[in-house]
Amino acid sequence: MYLGVDMGTSSIKATLLDERGAIVERSRVESTVISPEEGFFEVEAEKNWWLGFRKVLGSICRDIDVKRIEALCISSVCGTFVPVDNELKPLYNAILYGIDTRATNQIERLNRFFGNEYLKNHLGGEFTTHSVIPKILWLKENRPETYEKTFRFVESNNFVSGRLTGKTTWDFPTAAGTRLLDFESRELPKEIIRKAGLDENKFPRLSWPLSIIGRVDASSSEETGLSNGIPVVTGACDINGEAMACGGINPGDLVVVFGSTTSMLLTTGELHLLDGFTPGASILEGTYRLGAATSSGGRFVGWIKELLHSEIGGDRDEGPTGIIILPYIDGARAPYDNPSARGVIFGLQKTDDRNKLFKASLESLGYEIDLLLRRLKTVSHVPNKIHVLGGMTASRLLLQIVANITGRELYVYRDIDASYGDAIMAMTAYHAYSDITELDSIKEQRNNSTKIVPDQELHSKYRVLSQKYEALYSSIKDIF
């Protein structure tokens, strides 16, 4: 059997597949994010990730002998890292991805020092709140004892896979997404790391997602029950796991994940550079991607729901509210990379009520996606078909709104997630990926999607408002 585990922001999910690629068991445990200061978002790695991994492993193997697992793969919370000692024990809480804005001063300094052109040529763009190097520089300057004691800065999935195997690595796609891949050398940006005043030896090597990072060692076997010596596949960040789950990993495939935040991944056959997007390597060697992640998504909609005590049922979109919301309560990420941005509500009338405001919050996610798609079209073909996954796919109304705003067909996968894609990656330890895709069970899951078709009449109405959404930000960005 093959185990896939996804280290998500709010939960850890696991899927177990048999030799035919059929789902044998699934499990999920909660994970907790803490915010010790404004703009700081962290995870207690030992408690949430290592013990969470052991808990989800015990749960999924409640009625199955854990020794039957032949290989495993873990996906990460993108752009999240933790400093560890030489026993791979945490020295500080894990620091989360782009919603954590503690390093804004370091980002500005590094961007000024290196310059836009240099950073774009080497890393694909300037440093943002999603970048690892500025946050490690923040640690050095604000927690020098922690920095000096650090043996490695490891990504969230490698915190667990490293404990299992004793090996440390960052996968190529995630490294590229966090500005840790030099496109010229195809290695870590060692010169940039050194000039930033950091020790390059504290950064692990890079690996491809389908490579074997190592094998479960004797001590970890004793601690977890996993068989000694089984291979652990490197894996990648969660949106790559979700892309693998639905088969959206080939050039021309577009994947959108509505989770705690909203993420987008367009796989391409060549490297493209685009301001506000993250270029880089994709899962399969020889393929590339343009990625984008917003700071809104489930976090924003959940906040609005709690604030208004409102929620709309059903799946029928009656048309635009006319209200435009910039959902930047945690700052703006793609395509603006502006941590100083704040939420804005535009177009209110006295006839509006809380239900209309709640619907406008759903529309704001659609406007964000549409904005990103329009930007992508300037450098690459954007398909009419979008693969859609994530927890917010439970809202049929949200999906219909997104289809109507973008004018594109959504193929929605509610029964699979990143951990399913991770389990498929685990299978590559013994089987060629091309053979895995031909398994009937894999084909069945990947074909099991719900198609959401846009209403073209509503699309015409939304198009004007989507353009106003972009114009609204442009007109007020200088006063944030």
Coordinates of all heavy atoms in Angstrom, one line a residue, residues 414-464:
R414 N -14.4 16.9 -5.8 CA -14.7 17.0 -4.3 C -14.2 15.8 -3.6 O -14.1 15.9 -2.3 CB -16.2 17.2 -4.1 CG -16.7 18.5 -4.6 CD -18.2 18.7 -4.2 NE -18.7 20.0 -4.6 CZ -19.3 20.3 -5.7 NH1 -19.5 19.2 -6.6 NH2 -19.8 21.5 -6.0
D415 N -13.9 14.7 -4.2 CA -13.6 13.5 -3.5 C -12.1 13.2 -3.4 O -11.7 12.2 -2.8 CB -14.3 12.3 -4.3 CG -15.8 12.4 -4.2 OD1 -16.3 13.0 -3.3 OD2 -16.4 11.9 -5.2
I416 N -11.3 14.0 -4.0 CA -9.8 13.8 -3.9 C -9.2 15.1 -3.4 O -9.7 16.2 -3.6 CB -9.2 13.3 -5.2 CG1 -9.6 14.3 -6.4 CG2 -9.6 11.9 -5.5 CD1 -9.0 13.9 -7.7
D417 N -8.0 15.0 -2.9 CA -7.3 16.2 -2.4 C -5.8 16.0 -2.6 O -5.3 15.0 -3.2 CB -7.6 16.5 -0.9 CG -7.4 15.3 0.0 OD1 -6.5 14.5 -0.3 OD2 -8.0 15.2 1.0
A418 N -5.0 16.8 -2.0 CA -3.5 16.7 -2.1 C -3.0 15.4 -1.6 O -2.0 14.9 -2.2 CB -2.8 17.9 -1.4
S419 N -3.5 14.9 -0.5 CA -3.0 13.6 0.0 C -3.2 12.5 -1.0 O -2.4 11.5 -1.0 CB -3.7 13.3 1.3 OG -5.0 13.0 1.2
Y420 N -4.3 12.5 -1.8 CA -4.5 11.5 -2.8 C -3.4 11.7 -3.9 O -2.8 10.6 -4.3 CB -5.8 11.7 -3.5 CG -6.1 10.8 -4.7 CD1 -6.4 9.5 -4.5 CD2 -6.1 11.3 -6.0 CE1 -6.7 8.6 -5.6 CE2 -6.4 10.5 -7.1 CZ -6.7 9.1 -6.8 OH -6.9 8.3 -7.9
G421 N -3.0 12.9 -4.3 CA -1.9 13.1 -5.2 C -0.6 12.7 -4.6 O 0.2 12.1 -5.3
D422 N -0.4 12.9 -3.3 CA 0.8 12.4 -2.7 C 0.9 10.9 -2.7 O 2.0 10.4 -2.9 CB 0.8 12.9 -1.2 CG 0.8 14.4 -1.0 OD1 1.2 15.1 -2.0 OD2 0.2 14.9 0.0
A423 N -0.2 10.2 -2.5 CA -0.2 8.8 -2.5 C 0.2 8.3 -3.9 O 0.9 7.3 -4.1 CB -1.5 8.2 -2.1
I424 N -0.3 9.0 -5.0 CA 0.1 8.6 -6.3 C 1.6 8.8 -6.5 O 2.3 8.0 -7.1 CB -0.7 9.5 -7.4 CG1 -2.1 9.1 -7.3 CG2 -0.1 9.3 -8.8 CD1 -3.0 9.9 -8.2
M425 N 2.1 9.9 -6.0 CA 3.6 10.1 -6.0 C 4.3 9.1 -5.3 O 5.4 8.6 -5.7 CB 3.9 11.5 -5.5 CG 3.6 12.7 -6.4 SD 4.3 14.3 -6.0 CE 2.9 15.0 -5.1
A426 N 3.8 8.6 -4.2 CA 4.4 7.5 -3.4 C 4.5 6.2 -4.3 O 5.5 5.5 -4.2 CB 3.7 7.2 -2.2
M427 N 3.5 6.0 -5.1 CA 3.5 4.8 -6.0 C 4.7 4.9 -7.0 O 5.2 3.8 -7.5 CB 2.2 4.7 -6.8 CG 1.0 4.5 -5.9 SD -0.5 4.2 -6.9 CE -0.3 2.6 -7.5
T428 N 5.2 6.1 -7.3 CA 6.3 6.2 -8.3 C 7.6 5.6 -7.8 O 8.6 5.5 -8.5 CB 6.5 7.6 -8.8 OG1 7.0 8.4 -7.7 CG2 5.2 8.2 -9.3
A429 N 7.6 5.3 -6.5 CA 8.8 4.7 -5.9 C 9.1 3.3 -6.5 O 10.2 2.8 -6.6 CB 8.7 4.6 -4.4
Y430 N 8.0 2.7 -7.0 CA 8.1 1.4 -7.6 C 7.6 1.2 -9.0 O 7.8 0.3 -9.7 CB 7.3 0.4 -6.7 CG 7.9 0.2 -5.4 CD1 7.3 0.7 -4.2 CD2 9.1 -0.6 -5.2 CE1 7.8 0.6 -3.0 CE2 9.6 -0.8 -3.9 CZ 9.0 -0.2 -2.8 OH 9.5 -0.4 -1.5
H431 N 6.8 2.2 -9.5 CA 6.1 2.1 -10.8 C 6.3 3.4 -11.6 O 6.4 4.5 -11.0 CB 4.6 1.9 -10.6 CG 4.3 0.8 -9.7 ND1 4.3 -0.5 -10.1 CD2 3.9 0.7 -8.4 CE1 3.9 -1.3 -9.1 NE2 3.7 -0.6 -8.0
A432 N 6.4 3.3 -12.9 CA 6.5 4.4 -13.8 C 5.2 5.2 -13.7 O 4.1 4.6 -13.7 CB 6.8 4.0 -15.2
Y433 N 5.4 6.5 -13.7 CA 4.2 7.4 -13.6 C 3.2 7.1 -14.8 O 2.0 7.1 -14.6 CB 4.5 8.9 -13.6 CG 3.3 9.8 -13.6 CD1 2.4 9.8 -12.5 CD2 3.0 10.6 -14.7 CE1 1.3 10.6 -12.5 CE2 1.9 11.4 -14.7 CZ 1.1 11.4 -13.6 OH -0.1 12.2 -13.6
S434 N 3.8 6.9 -16.0 CA 2.9 6.6 -17.1 C 2.1 5.3 -16.9 O 0.9 5.2 -17.4 CB 3.8 6.5 -18.4 OG 4.8 5.4 -18.2
D435 N 2.6 4.4 -16.2 CA 1.8 3.1 -15.9 C 0.8 3.4 -14.9 O -0.4 2.9 -15.0 CB 2.8 2.0 -15.4 CG 3.7 1.5 -16.5 OD1 3.4 1.7 -17.7 OD2 4.8 1.0 -16.1
I436 N 1.1 4.3 -13.9 CA 0.1 4.6 -12.9 C -1.1 5.3 -13.5 O -2.3 5.0 -13.1 CB 0.8 5.5 -11.8 CG1 1.9 4.7 -11.1 CG2 -0.3 5.9 -10.8 CD1 2.7 5.6 -10.2
T437 N -0.9 6.1 -14.4 CA -2.0 6.9 -15.0 C -3.0 6.0 -15.8 O -4.1 6.4 -16.0 CB -1.5 8.0 -16.0 OG1 -0.8 7.4 -17.1 CG2 -0.6 9.0 -15.3
E438 N -2.5 4.8 -16.1 CA -3.4 3.8 -16.9 C -4.2 2.9 -16.0 O -5.0 2.1 -16.5 CB -2.5 3.0 -17.8 CG -1.9 3.8 -18.9 CD -2.9 4.6 -19.8 OE1 -3.9 3.9 -20.2 OE2 -2.7 5.8 -20.0
L439 N -4.0 3.0 -14.7 CA -4.7 2.2 -13.7 C -6.2 2.6 -13.7 O -6.5 3.8 -13.7 CB -4.2 2.3 -12.3 CG -2.8 1.7 -12.1 CD1 -2.2 2.0 -10.7 CD2 -2.7 0.2 -12.4
D440 N -7.1 1.6 -13.8 CA -8.5 1.9 -13.9 C -9.0 2.8 -12.7 O -9.8 3.7 -12.9 CB -9.4 0.7 -13.9 CG -9.2 -0.1 -15.2 OD1 -8.8 0.6 -16.2 OD2 -9.5 -1.3 -15.3
S441 N -8.5 2.5 -11.5 CA -9.0 3.3 -10.3 C -8.5 4.7 -10.4 O -9.2 5.6 -10.0 CB -8.4 2.6 -9.0 OG -8.9 1.3 -8.9
I442 N -7.3 4.9 -10.9 CA -6.8 6.3 -11.0 C -7.6 7.1 -12.1 O -8.0 8.2 -11.9 CB -5.3 6.3 -11.4 CG1 -4.5 5.6 -10.3 CG2 -4.8 7.7 -11.6 CD1 -4.5 6.2 -9.0
K443 N -7.9 6.4 -13.2 CA -8.7 7.0 -14.2 C -10.1 7.4 -13.7 O -10.6 8.5 -14.0 CB -8.8 6.1 -15.4 CG -7.6 5.9 -16.3 CD -7.9 5.0 -17.5 CE -6.7 4.9 -18.4 NZ -7.0 3.9 -19.5
E444 N -10.7 6.5 -13.0 CA -12.0 6.7 -12.5 C -12.1 7.9 -11.5 O -13.0 8.8 -11.7 CB -12.5 5.5 -11.7 CG -13.9 5.6 -11.2 CD -14.3 4.3 -10.4 OE1 -13.6 3.3 -10.4 OE2 -15.4 4.4 -9.8
Q445 N -11.1 8.0 -10.6 CA -11.1 9.2 -9.7 C -10.9 10.5 -10.5 O -11.5 11.5 -10.2 CB -10.0 9.0 -8.7 CG -10.3 8.0 -7.6 CD -11.5 8.4 -6.7 OE1 -11.9 9.6 -6.7 NE2 -12.0 7.5 -5.9
R446 N -10.0 10.5 -11.4 CA -9.6 11.7 -12.2 C -10.8 12.1 -13.1 O -10.9 13.3 -13.5 CB -8.3 11.5 -12.9 CG -7.1 11.5 -12.0 CD -5.8 11.3 -12.8 NE -4.7 11.6 -12.0 CZ -3.4 11.5 -12.4 NH1 -3.2 11.0 -13.6 NH2 -2.4 11.8 -11.6
N447 N -11.6 11.2 -13.5 CA -12.7 11.5 -14.4 C -14.0 11.8 -13.6 O -15.0 12.3 -14.2 CB -13.0 10.3 -15.3 CG -11.9 10.1 -16.4 OD1 -11.2 11.0 -16.7 ND2 -11.7 8.9 -16.8
N448 N -13.9 11.6 -12.3 CA -15.1 11.9 -11.5 C -15.2 13.3 -11.0 O -14.9 13.6 -9.8 CB -15.0 10.9 -10.2 CG -16.3 11.0 -9.4 OD1 -17.4 11.4 -9.9 ND2 -16.2 10.7 -8.1
S449 N -15.5 14.2 -11.9 CA -15.6 15.6 -11.6 C -17.0 16.1 -12.0 O -17.7 15.6 -12.8 CB -14.5 16.4 -12.4 OG -14.7 16.3 -13.8
T450 N -17.4 17.2 -11.3 CA -18.6 17.9 -11.6 C -18.3 19.1 -12.5 O -17.5 19.9 -12.2 CB -19.3 18.4 -10.3 OG1 -19.6 17.3 -9.5 CG2 -20.6 19.1 -10.6
K451 N -19.0 19.2 -13.6 CA -18.8 20.3 -14.5 C -19.7 21.5 -14.2 O -20.9 21.3 -14.1 CB -19.0 19.8 -16.0 CG -18.7 20.8 -17.1 CD -18.9 20.2 -18.4 CE -18.7 21.2 -19.6 NZ -19.0 20.6 -20.9
I452 N -19.1 22.7 -14.0 CA -19.9 23.9 -13.8 C -19.7 24.8 -15.1 O -18.6 25.2 -15.4 CB -19.4 24.7 -12.6 CG1 -19.3 23.7 -11.4 CG2 -20.3 25.9 -12.3 CD1 -20.6 23.3 -10.8
V453 N -20.8 25.1 -15.7 CA -20.8 25.8 -17.0 C -21.2 27.3 -16.7 O -22.2 27.5 -16.0 CB -21.8 25.2 -18.0 CG1 -21.8 26.0 -19.3 CG2 -21.4 23.7 -18.3
P454 N -20.5 28.2 -17.3 CA -20.8 29.6 -17.0 C -22.1 30.1 -17.7 O -22.4 29.6 -18.8 CB -19.6 30.4 -17.6 CG -19.0 29.5 -18.6 CD -19.3 28.1 -18.1
D455 N -22.8 31.0 -17.1 CA -23.9 31.7 -17.7 C -23.4 32.9 -18.5 O -22.9 33.8 -17.9 CB -24.9 32.1 -16.6 CG -26.2 32.8 -17.2 OD1 -26.0 33.6 -18.1 OD2 -27.3 32.5 -16.7
Q456 N -23.4 32.8 -19.8 CA -22.7 33.8 -20.6 C -23.4 35.2 -20.5 O -22.7 36.2 -20.6 CB -22.7 33.4 -22.1 CG -21.8 32.2 -22.3 CD -20.3 32.4 -21.9 OE1 -19.8 33.5 -22.0 NE2 -19.6 31.3 -21.6
E457 N -24.7 35.2 -20.2 CA -25.4 36.5 -20.0 C -24.9 37.2 -18.8 O -24.6 38.4 -18.7 CB -26.9 36.3 -20.0 CG -27.7 37.6 -19.8 CD -29.2 37.4 -19.9 OE1 -29.6 36.3 -20.3 OE2 -29.9 38.3 -19.4
L458 N -24.8 36.4 -17.7 CA -24.2 37.0 -16.4 C -22.8 37.3 -16.6 O -22.3 38.2 -16.0 CB -24.5 36.0 -15.3 CG -25.9 35.8 -14.8 CD1 -26.0 34.8 -13.6 CD2 -26.6 37.1 -14.5
H459 N -22.1 36.5 -17.4 CA -20.6 36.8 -17.6 C -20.4 38.2 -18.2 O -19.5 38.9 -17.8 CB -20.0 35.7 -18.5 CG -18.6 36.0 -18.9 ND1 -17.6 36.1 -18.0 CD2 -18.1 36.2 -20.2 CE1 -16.5 36.4 -18.7 NE2 -16.7 36.4 -20.0
S460 N -21.3 38.6 -19.1 CA -21.2 39.9 -19.7 C -21.4 41.0 -18.6 O -20.7 42.0 -18.7 CB -22.2 40.0 -20.8 OG -22.0 39.1 -21.8
K461 N -22.3 40.7 -17.7 CA -22.5 41.7 -16.6 C -21.4 41.8 -15.6 O -21.0 42.8 -15.2 CB -23.8 41.4 -15.9 CG -25.1 41.5 -16.7 CD -26.3 41.1 -15.9 CE -27.6 41.2 -16.8 NZ -28.8 40.8 -16.1
Y462 N -20.8 40.6 -15.3 CA -19.7 40.5 -14.4 C -18.4 41.1 -15.0 O -17.6 41.6 -14.3 CB -19.5 39.1 -14.0 CG -20.3 38.6 -12.8 CD1 -21.1 37.5 -13.0 CD2 -20.2 39.2 -11.6 CE1 -21.9 37.0 -11.9 CE2 -21.0 38.7 -10.5 CZ -21.8 37.6 -10.7 OH -22.5 37.1 -9.6
R463 N -18.3 41.1 -16.3 CA -17.0 41.5 -16.9 C -16.7 43.0 -16.6 O -15.6 43.3 -16.3 CB -17.1 41.3 -18.5 CG -15.8 41.6 -19.2 CD -15.9 41.6 -20.7 NE -16.2 40.2 -21.1 CZ -17.3 39.9 -21.9 NH1 -18.1 40.9 -22.3 NH2 -17.5 38.7 -22.3
V464 N -17.8 43.8 -16.6 CA -17.6 45.2 -16.3 C -17.1 45.4 -14.9 O -16.2 46.2 -14.6 CB -18.9 46.0 -16.6 CG1 -18.7 47.5 -16.2 CG2 -19.3 45.9 -18.0

